[in-house]
Amino acid sequence: CALDGNKQWSAACDWGTGLDWLDQTDWHLPTKVELSTICSNKESLGSYQENFYWSSTEYGGNAFVVGFTICNMTNYSQFSNFYVRAVRSSE
């Protein structure tokens, strides 16, 4: 995972899909399911903020976020600013 501060949802999606890091280019913004799984295992992460993180999952004009304090999920306007993490498939 790569941590890259606060962004609006569209910028977060662009950042995740355009990321070239550790000689890998298949990164993406996680779905709400992937992000919930990451949050459930957050103690094994190297670092994270106890804040909300964007998922790639849209809901109307909103998108889902996961709060890393208690791993709660909700949706917010895509124009809000939240943290982002990029993920890639383990396959």
Side-chain angles (χ1 to χ4, degrees):
C1 294
L3 178 67
D4 191 45
N6 287 317
K7 296 187 180 305
Q8 290 185 356
W9 185 77
S10 63
C13 290
D14 290 345
W15 176 82
T17 57
L19 185 61
D20 182 351
W21 188 53
L22 299 176
D23 296 324
Q24 304 296 324
T25 59
D26 58 343
W27 297 93
H28 63 274
L29 196 65
T31 65
K32 67 180 185 177
V33 173
E34 289 173 318
L35 195 54
S36 291
T37 301
I38 292 168
C39 189
S40 296
N41 296 289
K42 65 185 176 186
E43 285 75 25
S44 64
L45 296 175
S47 66
Y48 66 93
Q49 297 291 321
E50 289 198 357
N51 208 319
F52 285 101
Y53 287 81
W54 281 121
S55 78
S56 62
T57 309
E58 290 187 80
Y59 181 76
N62 296 339
F64 282 95
V65 295
V66 173
F68 269 52
T69 302
I70 59 172
C71 296
N72 59 314
M73 185 183 312
T74 191
N75 62 76
Y76 278 94
S77 164
Q78 295 177 1
F79 297 104
S80 300
N81 286 305
F82 293 111
Y83 283 90
V84 296
R85 294 189 81 88
V87 297
R88 52 187 298 270
S89 174
S90 61
E91 297 175 359

